[in-house]
Amino acid sequence: MLPDTLVFGRIKIKLDAIGSTNDYIHDLLTKGEDLTEGTVVFAENQSAGRGQRGNKWDSEPGQNLTFSVVLFPKFLSPSDQFSLSKAISLGIVSYLSEVLSVNMSAIRVKWPNDIYVKDKKIGGILIENAVSGTKLIHSIIGIGINVNQEEFNPGLPNPSSMKLVAGCGFELNEVLSELCTHLDRRYFELRNCSHQNMHTEYLDKLYEYQVWRDFKVKGVAIRGRILDVMRSGKLVIEVKDGEDIQCDYKEVVFC
Ligand code: BTN
């Protein structure tokens, strides 16, 4: 059966084992391979899965989705690259909201692009963009979703999975196809210049948006609340009894 998407997953490459699906796509592009936009590479087992901040992404073989997609978003300027991150996060949130029978407001994006159900992380995104001058040449979108895994490395702070949330298992190929449909929809929204609508929706889905809480910014403990996210992707925090600050990803810790 043909996929019902225009870009995402029209071509799928399945690998039994690989270091990292992001690296696999990167290597193909470096070798000059003519990849079709939206090609998905998914792996049963990643031996060197990578997460954000240089972390490892651990995933039990055969239980979860670990895949990457190549995009050529020529319609975006490098200064708008964070909008891709918003579109992908929202695609995952809308897919999970459709299949998990939990209150929709429980499924959120923890800035910049961790996927949370209540206070637990169910998925993560690693986007690697190649920029040349004023052009976004390609984007490798790596996505890890915990699907059927029930036990996690005790070192992970707050992991969860679709199975733990829903109380039943999921068929991985089905999850991948349905997720691609949602991602495709969001990508076209972005292409059609719905930046403002997407930004509003992103804020609406943001974990702990406008909630007073403790953060650590550049090692300093503050009380603040999220006000906005800049076009650059920087987080804007209103500091209690202080001035608003803008923070980069590596500078902020949610306490
Ligand atoms: C994070 O939350 O830290 C991001 C995790 C991203 C993991 C995915 S799994 C598929 C792709 N390949 C990788 O090496 N990483 C991403």
Side-chain angles (χ1 to χ4, degrees):
M1 203 172 79
L2 269 178
D4 63 349
T5 56
L6 292 170
V7 171
F8 280 74
R10 290 189 67 83
I11 295 176
K12 292 196 182 93
I13 301 172
K14 184 176 179 217
L15 304 170
D16 292 335
I18 191 74
S20 152
T21 53
N22 267 36
D23 293 344
Y24 182 85
I25 291 189
H26 182 264
D27 290 349
L28 291 182
L29 291 168
T30 309
K31 282 183 205 144
E33 194 89 25
D34 187 18
L35 288 178
T36 303
E37 180 168 45
T39 298
V40 162
V41 174
F42 65 115
E44 281 270 311
N45 184 10
Q46 276 195 138
S47 55
R50 294 187 291 110
Q52 296 162 31
R53 303 183 201 240
N55 290 329
K56 274 173 55 186
W57 182 258
D58 276 335
S59 176
E60 199 177 316
Q63 297 300 313
N64 302 315
L65 275 189
T66 48
F67 70 101
S68 304
V69 189
V70 63
L71 297 176
F72 303 110
K74 295 200 177 72
F75 58 94
L76 279 180
S77 70
S79 52
D80 276 325
Q81 52 188 292
F82 189 72
S83 62
L84 199 51
S85 177
K86 290 185 210 165
I88 299 298
S89 308
L90 287 174
I92 299 175
V93 167
S94 47
Y95 166 66
L96 292 175
S97 303
E98 197 173 275
V99 291
L100 297 179
S101 32
V102 288
N103 187 331
M104 264 168 65
S105 65
I107 305 172
R108 295 200 169 264
V109 185
K110 184 171 172 199
W111 177 83
N113 51 17
D114 283 346
I115 309 298
Y116 266 53
V117 177
K118 297 193 181 129
D119 288 314
K120 297 196 167 182
K121 180 164 170 173
I122 198 166
I125 304 167
L126 178 68
I127 299 184
E128 296 179 304
N129 292 323
V131 172
S132 171
T134 57
K135 294 253 174 314
L136 196 51
I137 306 293
H138 70 244
S139 184
I140 302 173
I141 314 283
I143 299 178
I145 307 279
N146 298 330
V147 181
N148 292 320
Q149 188 165 340
E150 292 183 271
E151 284 175 18
F152 292 88
N153 178 336
L156 291 173
N158 48 4
S160 191
S161 68
M162 291 172 64
K163 185 170 186 180
L164 290 175
V165 172
C168 60
F170 293 83
E171 214 276 301
L172 292 182
N173 287 314
E174 222 168 86
V175 174
L176 180 59
S177 297
E178 290 171 12
L179 183 53
C180 281
T181 307
H182 285 263
L183 295 171
D184 208 61
R185 207 174 291 155
R186 294 296 180 164
Y187 190 51
F188 279 86
E189 268 176 47
L190 193 64
R191 255 195 199 180
N192 296 334
C193 288
S194 328
H195 286 244
Q196 189 50 49
N197 292 350
M198 204 170 269
H199 184 65
T200 308
E201 200 176 343
Y202 179 77
L203 291 183
D204 185 54
K205 294 289 175 201
L206 210 53
Y207 175 78
E208 300 269 82
Y209 177 53
Q210 290 186 329
V211 175
W212 288 103
R213 63 174 347 274
D214 295 326
F215 295 93
K216 234 180 209 167
V217 178
K218 294 186 195 162
V220 178
I222 62 155
R223 180 114 191 126
R225 60 175 180 169
I226 297 173
L227 273 192
D228 204 354
V229 176
M230 307 290 292
R231 182 177 174 198
S232 63
K234 280 189 173 188
L235 187 68
V236 185
I237 301 179
E238 178 184 353
V239 181
K240 191 107 190 146
D241 305 320
E243 296 202 345
D244 298 351
I245 50 172
Q246 295 178 13
C247 322
D248 265 329
Y249 177 53
K250 286 188 178 137
E251 298 171 346
V252 189
V253 177
F254 287 62
C255 302

